[in-house]
Amino acid sequence: MALSALSDELMRAEGMMMQDQNEEALELLLRLAEDAEEYVDCNCQTTDELQYFAFPTLFDRLAYRRVENDPRKLEDVHEPFDRLYGDLAMAYVRTGDYENAMNALKTAIRWNPMNCGFRLDLADLFKIAGDIREHIALTFGVFERASEARHLTRAFLNFAAWFEAQGRLEQAAACLRAARRFEVKDSTLEAALDQAAGTPKDPDGLTDEEANDLLEAEGLPTGANAEIAVCLLMCAQDCAAMGDRATATEMTIRARDLVGEQAALALLQLVRDAAISEGFTAGGNPVSGGASSGASGEKTDAAETSDGEGK
């Protein structure tokens, strides 16, 4: 099977799982993974200077650059390998093979380290396996990388449950209060809040300042990573400039949901000012001419191509 047909085959496998044809889906996905591994062995040799990724969007690549500080050259495989291994993990879970599901999720994260859904799913599997340390470590990694409020909500809920298991109910309350701030409709959050009401872990028993102090004392953030919101807004500006208003709106809303409307507006103004100052948008598209660098001050796909480093 040609890798160019991978997306279509993944849609077919996902359709099978929707119809509870899990064994058939697993068989198909294993064949696709075998093809992908053969392709990677032949075409994607990693070195100390070069790494291959499967970032699905410019945002994921830009966010990775800003939060990971990876000095290597990043090459795109132009195939949805992250989705392939995420689907494979789902098929393994649906057939009861949690160990192989964990391995598949690790590979999915290797291809797209910014996918916090994969991180949280892997954290859940480690918890089922009894490895709470790895469960918490993976959850902690979400705080720096999350670009969706629902993922931050899940992360804070994981920490609330962890603190509760240790009998540290004030810290659990602080995590619940932080999770609630994102205003995500989540049945797990609603159940946790109902269970906490009127108890020592009730988030209403703390002020925002008290909750923040408790979180900071534990080395936890009090909200989203502003760098991620900046990346979303930078890419939203690029999409708007290219006429893709739907994606621009979606990314702007995601940034707002992460940091709040007032903070998002302030960050948006900073992004616009930086773009005008640099002469380029986040993706390296010229505003009025100039050297090829994005508003972040880092080379992006377009910039790498222009100086001969990219494909």
Side-chain angles (χ1 to χ4, degrees):
M1 185 208 72
L3 282 175
S4 58
L6 181 55
S7 293
D8 290 340
E9 290 294 279
L10 292 177
M11 288 182 63
R12 188 158 73 93
E14 290 160 2
M16 289 177 180
M17 285 189 281
M18 290 178 64
Q19 299 177 49
D20 291 327
Q21 298 173 356
N22 300 313
E23 296 289 349
E24 294 87 343
L26 179 59
E27 182 179 349
L28 171 57
L29 289 164
L30 285 171
R31 289 202 306 270
L32 297 176
E34 183 178 356
D35 289 345
E37 288 159 14
E38 181 179 348
Y39 175 83
V40 169
D41 287 342
C42 294
N43 300 282
C44 306
Q45 295 301 313
T46 296
T47 68
D48 291 340
E49 294 78 31
L50 172 66
Q51 179 62 293
Y52 289 84
F53 288 101
F55 295 121
T57 67
L58 173 61
F59 160 74
D60 292 284
R61 183 186 178 110
L62 178 62
Y64 178 83
R65 278 294 197 198
R66 287 183 72 105
V67 305
E68 299 285 359
N69 297 314
D70 189 340
R72 296 173 298 180
K73 177 185 174 185
L74 307 182
E75 198 73 60
D76 193 341
V77 294
H78 301 291
E79 293 289 350
F81 288 160
D82 58 331
R83 179 180 167 192
L84 165 60
Y85 287 97
D87 284 352
L88 182 58
M90 183 184 300
Y92 275 129
V93 167
R94 292 172 71 95
T95 55
D97 188 345
Y98 288 178
E99 182 175 353
N100 275 320
M102 293 167 72
N103 292 330
L105 281 171
K106 290 175 186 177
T107 305
I109 293 169
R110 173 260 174 274
W111 285 111
N112 181 9
M114 304 310 294
N115 189 311
C116 289
F118 293 155
R119 286 183 183 272
L120 288 164
D121 290 344
L122 182 56
D124 288 345
L125 291 178
F126 270 109
K127 185 176 182 180
I128 291 171
D131 191 338
I132 301 302
R133 174 177 289 188
E134 194 64 26
H135 167 72
I136 287 300
L138 281 161
T139 298
F140 186 79
V142 169
F143 291 126
E144 185 178 32
R145 299 172 178 87
S147 62
E148 296 187 41
R150 62 192 177 94
H151 291 150
L152 284 167
T153 299
R154 283 179 65 185
F156 277 114
L157 283 171
N158 283 356
F159 267 91
W162 183 63
F163 283 126
E164 182 180 0
Q166 295 180 322
R168 303 169 69 188
L169 301 184
E170 273 197 328
Q171 288 81 359
C175 289
L176 288 176
R177 192 172 182 91
R180 190 173 62 182
R181 288 175 191 154
F182 295 107
E183 299 181 351
V184 171
K185 291 184 177 180
D186 183 287
S187 59
T188 304
L189 173 61
E190 292 172 3
L193 292 173
D194 287 344
Q195 185 185 50
T199 73
K201 61 179 180 178
D202 190 339
D204 288 332
L206 300 171
T207 65
D208 280 337
E209 183 178 1
E210 289 169 339
N212 290 346
D213 287 345
L214 284 164
L215 293 172
E216 289 172 354
E218 297 296 330
L220 296 178
T222 59
N225 183 355
E227 287 283 347
I228 295 295
V230 167
C231 291
L232 284 166
L233 293 170
M234 289 168 68
C235 292
Q237 291 293 286
D238 269 9
C239 290
M242 292 185 291
D244 187 354
R245 304 297 301 181
T247 302
T249 299
E250 184 262 336
M251 287 188 165
T252 302
I253 290 172
R254 282 169 64 185
R256 179 205 65 189
D257 290 346
L258 289 178
V259 298
E261 186 168 0
Q262 292 303 312
L265 288 172
L267 291 173
L268 180 58
Q269 189 58 54
L270 289 175
V271 167
R272 288 171 173 167
D273 291 346
I276 292 171
S277 175
E278 293 286 341
F280 274 76
T281 62
N285 302 310
V287 173
S288 57
S292 56
S293 66
S296 66
E298 300 174 1
K299 288 182 179 179
T300 57
D301 285 337
E304 289 178 351
T305 301
S306 70
D307 66 14
E309 290 183 4
K311 283 189 175 181

